[in-house]
Amino acid sequence: RLRVLSGIQPTAGSFHLGNYLGAVRQWVALQETHDAFYSVVDLHAITVPQDPAALREATRLAAAQLLGAGLDPERCTLFVQSQVPEHAQLAWVLNCVTGFGEAARMTQFKDKSARQGAESTTVGLFTYPVLQAADILLYHAREVPVGEDQRQHIELTRDLAVRFNGRFGETFTVPGAYILKDAAKIYDLQDPAVKMSKSASSAKGIVWLMDEPKTSAKKLRSAVTDTDTVIRYDPEAKPGVSNLLSIYSALTGIGVAEVEEKFAGRLYGALKTELAEVFAEWVTPFRDRTRQFLDDPAELDRLLARGAEKARAVAAPTLAKVMDRVGFLPAG
Ligand code: TYM
């Protein structure tokens, strides 16, 4: 089985619809066909200020949502990044083969740091993509299922793997991004020019999975479209309608062309209302399952401890090899 690895940041409140459709949905499918490793990346979360109690809660909530979405600890390895110390250790080594200019070109860093201002931007945020590379390379992952916004980080990971292998001898598998075209980028419902994102989206434009289904249904029904009336997939000319078609298609598994056909000659209102229904139908059982996992934190922690153990069994030998290649003395 081909190995895949991916990660998601724990966020207060819950994941949003972009996270689910762009990434998590693929993760659930891939656990059936691949050797899958999925991580709640709490080390990444502290690159911006975090309240300790809130982080702990968000990390459990993230794990519960992944289980609620259908990850099965018997079929994949689900773990919390900070519980596998090899991530931070490999990140240090990789920091030392990454060019400063190379890291400075990462567009997510440029966007986030511009929003925060230089004084409140941490060095951790700057080296964030290098830690991400460590996440992937520790497991020799061949494919990394992510949304479009992560493509540049996967490219960096490839560059670092190739460079390290060239300098120190064949060590890492060079991974590729696994991005599904249809839901690679879900847009803000109120501003379909920007991606749905916890930091950039307007409150009304972002659908939080753990919100009351009624609240989310209302947001979907009041999505911004255009003054035309034709329901057609055309992201350039009709970004709002196209976004709704993508979401509908991803949630139902019906191809975009077929969804277009289904709504041919009907009004935008019909698409929005049906989409809100489809969403509510999916999200209700998802929320119930997630809450069940949250209701038993001891069992959740046990699952995560087991996941971390499975992850370490793969990560530790990779790190040991790296340390040796670099020229560190054996730990004894
Ligand atoms: P994060 O936590 O911001 O997002 C998790 C996943 O959700 C996808 N995503 C979207 N997909 C489609 N439309 C959107 N609007 C949208 N918003 C988010 C992201 O592409 C991502 O796949 N750096 C990563 C986490 C990470 C990681 C890794 C990923 C850390 N280590 C190793 C892969 C492999 C991040 O911050 O994702």
Side-chain angles (χ1 to χ4, degrees), residues 47-49 112-123 125:
T47 56
V48 295
K112 276 197 194 173
S113 57
R115 272 203 300 272
Q116 292 175 359
E119 281 315 304
S120 39
T121 295
T122 66
V123 175
L125 187 68

Side-chain angles (χ1 to χ4, degrees), residues 213 216-218 220-221 248 251-252 262-263 266 269-285:
S216 304
K218 194 167 159 206
L220 287 164
R221 282 196 307 268
Y248 192 101
L251 281 174
T252 56
K262 177 175 157 69
F263 287 100
R266 295 169 72 190
L271 172 62
K272 292 181 190 179
T273 308
E274 280 195 36
L275 176 59
E277 282 165 13
V278 162
F279 174 78
E281 250 167 64
W282 170 77
V283 87
T284 303

Side-chain angles (χ1 to χ4, degrees), residues 5-9 16 18-19 22-23 41 44 81 108 128 132 135-136 144-150 153-154 183-187 195-198:
L5 175 132
S6 197
I8 189 161
Q9 294 197 57
H16 59 67
N19 294 139
V41 293
H44 278 104
Q81 189 188 30
Q108 270 207 353
Y128 172 122
Q132 180 165 352
D135 298 342
I136 298 165
V144 186
V146 285
E148 182 61 40
D149 62 349
Q150 297 300 316
H153 293 164
I154 314 300
K185 200 165 178 183
I186 300 298
Y187 295 88
K195 69 170 180 182
M196 189 178 285
S197 146
K198 61 175 182 288

